[in-house]
Amino acid sequence: MLRAAFWLTALLFVPLGLYLYFLPPAVASLIGVSPLWLARGAGAVVLAWGAFQLAASFAPDRVKVGGLVGGNLLLVAALLPPVLRGADTLAAPLRTALLVVSGALALLAVMALLGSPSRRSRL
């Protein structure tokens, strides 16, 4: 279950990071991202986080689990309040997508906590 949490988190972040990093200017202007380097910088960070999750899935330990849980919950804490407050300003599909991503990240954090190795066990 622990490795699945790492893999699923990586499967979420790697494509998102690649998309943001190579975000076409037309899409950036459509969603109101300005300047474009900001989206590309965010894409690089998200891609790096996804790559780390993928690498950490091969040898998870308590520190890596803490990083996974902390990172996922911080992202949920950053996404959820604006989505809940901005019900009238966000498009319905975007709002739904952000809620689904927040729910998936919270679920993956819980999966990682439940599957966290004890001090005596080995994966």
Side-chain angles (χ1 to χ4, degrees):
M1 181 164 71
L2 183 58
R3 287 194 173 119
F6 277 102
W7 271 91
L8 291 172
T9 300
L11 285 175
L12 181 72
F13 284 127
V14 169
L16 178 63
L18 284 170
Y19 180 74
L20 287 173
Y21 190 76
F22 295 107
L23 189 67
V27 175
S29 65
L30 181 67
I31 59 175
V33 175
S34 179
L36 189 55
W37 65 264
L38 186 60
R40 292 203 171 128
V45 170
V46 170
L47 179 59
W49 180 248
F52 170 76
Q53 296 308 319
L54 191 59
S57 71
F58 291 104
D61 59 27
R62 296 179 79 196
V63 174
K64 293 172 190 162
V65 169
L68 172 76
V69 171
N72 284 4
L73 292 180
L74 279 172
L75 193 51
V76 169
L79 288 176
L80 205 52
V83 169
L84 294 177
R85 274 190 236 126
D88 53 341
T89 59
L90 290 174
L94 178 61
R95 183 171 190 256
T96 302
L98 291 174
L99 286 172
V100 167
V101 167
S102 294
L105 289 172
L107 179 64
L108 290 168
V110 170
M111 281 177 58
L113 280 175
L114 293 176
S116 181
S118 67
R119 289 183 177 196
R120 288 186 254 159
S121 73
R122 286 190 46 102
L123 294 174

